[in-house]
Amino acid sequence: MTRPPHTVQKPNKKMSTSQKTALIAIPAVLLVALIVILISVLNRPEVQAPSDASNGGETGGGGTPSQSEVPLVQENSHVLDDAGEGAPVLVEFLDFECEACGAVYPVIEEIRKQYDGQITYVARYFITNHTNSMNAALAVEAASQQGKFEEMYQKLFESQPEWAEQQTSQADKIRSYAEELGLDMAAFDQAVADPATQARVEEDHNAGMALGVRGTPTFFLNGELFQPQTVTDITDALDAAIAESKE
């Protein structure tokens, strides 16, 4: 599997029991949501092609490549945390409008803090059957062209109740978040309208399809499909992967 090229020194530590306790002490309602949603939603058949339906139901760019042709982390993948060569790599295929992704988001953010410097975390787009799934992904990708991927990623998840699950386009509302982040709006609008931006989103989606992703959120840990049902499942798997990387 292709690793992000940047290398940083990794702290030689394992997550302590007290840290795990603090992580698992995330509000109970969130943990219940995580357990229930991951069991019921993970990999559900909610996917649709991101391109126009006239393509016969296949994704854009000439169809979905085979699994053997697709690395989990590509040169242009959005690496939010890079712990360097040899560190465990957690990849999430996500949809910014997906309720399950929104519920898991604060858990993943806390895990990123607790495992800072020990794991590499990569976020990849996956378009499902939500009305504004593509609008949101285009906005994040456009923001990434101004070095603001993570800021827009966080903004859309944190504001999800304001715009998600609508039957009409929320592109203007989503655009307002780019304004709040102080982006160059002329460049942002140009990027959103550029077919290359949608092609970049579809590249992730098509890769996910080839890798067996059928719903969101879907996780891979060190190249293997990973289906956690509790926070402890995640921390235990990460601890084991970190320990293995040091052997």
Side-chain angles (χ1 to χ4, degrees), residues 33-34 36-44 46 90-105 107-108 121-122 124-126 128 130 153 157 160 212-220 225-228 234:
L34 175 64
V36 172
I37 291 174
L38 284 183
I39 292 174
S40 63
V41 179
L42 193 63
N43 287 325
R44 68 185 178 185
E46 64 173 6
L90 181 64
V91 178
E92 179 182 3
F93 282 86
L94 55 83
D95 177 349
F96 293 99
E97 192 173 5
C98 167
E99 183 180 12
C101 294
V104 171
Y105 162 74
V107 175
I108 296 302
Y121 172 70
V122 182
R124 301 194 70 175
Y125 306 110
F126 197 75
T128 62
H130 297 285
Y153 157 96
F157 275 133
Q160 193 185 71
V213 178
R214 294 297 180 268
T216 54
T218 293
F219 295 93
F220 290 82
L225 181 65
F226 177 50
Q227 298 176 291
I234 302 174

Side-chain angles (χ1 to χ4, degrees), residues 7-223:
T7 300
V8 297
Q9 186 174 1
K10 305 188 293 294
N12 185 23
K13 62 180 182 179
K14 180 179 179 180
M15 193 177 195
S16 69
T17 301
S18 61
Q19 285 177 312
K20 278 193 175 184
T21 301
L23 177 58
I24 296 172
I26 294 171
V29 64
L30 180 57
L31 293 184
V32 171
L34 175 64
I35 295 169
V36 172
I37 291 174
L38 284 183
I39 292 174
S40 63
V41 179
L42 193 63
N43 287 325
R44 68 185 178 185
E46 64 173 6
V47 62
Q48 68 174 13
S51 301
D52 188 88
S54 63
N55 66 5
E58 293 185 355
T59 48
T64 303
S66 68
Q67 184 170 356
S68 62
E69 299 172 337
V70 181
L72 266 170
V73 181
Q74 300 179 183
E75 184 176 352
N76 62 354
S77 291
H78 296 294
V79 180
L80 276 66
D81 301 311
D82 183 358
E85 186 71 25
V89 179
L90 181 64
V91 178
E92 179 182 3
F93 282 86
L94 55 83
D95 177 349
F96 293 99
E97 192 173 5
C98 167
E99 183 180 12
C101 294
V104 171
Y105 162 74
V107 175
I108 296 302
E109 288 295 283
E110 188 62 25
I111 284 173
R112 289 178 58 202
K113 292 177 185 177
Q114 297 285 7
Y115 286 88
D116 183 34
Q118 299 181 82
I119 66 169
T120 292
Y121 172 70
V122 182
R124 301 194 70 175
Y125 306 110
F126 197 75
I127 304 303
T128 62
N129 58 5
H130 297 285
T131 302
N132 287 284
S133 177
M134 180 60 81
N135 286 334
L138 290 174
V140 176
E141 184 58 26
S144 77
Q145 296 178 25
Q146 298 186 43
K148 298 291 185 180
F149 175 90
E150 186 166 2
E151 289 84 350
M152 196 64 170
Y153 157 96
Q154 293 173 335
K155 185 67 175 178
L156 286 186
F157 275 133
E158 291 167 4
S159 66
Q160 193 185 71
E162 299 175 3
W163 62 271
E165 303 301 328
Q166 304 294 320
Q167 300 306 307
T168 57
S169 173
Q170 297 296 300
D172 288 344
K173 181 68 174 177
I174 293 170
R175 183 182 185 276
S176 73
Y177 300 139
E179 290 181 304
E180 291 177 19
L181 292 174
L183 298 184
D184 178 331
M185 295 310 297
F188 177 85
D189 290 339
Q190 183 176 359
V192 168
D194 187 347
T197 304
Q198 181 165 332
R200 170 64 187 85
V201 172
E202 291 180 358
E203 180 182 3
D204 270 10
H205 178 92
N206 292 348
M209 290 290 290
L211 291 163
V213 178
R214 294 297 180 268
T216 54
T218 293
F219 295 93
F220 290 82
L221 179 59
N222 282 348

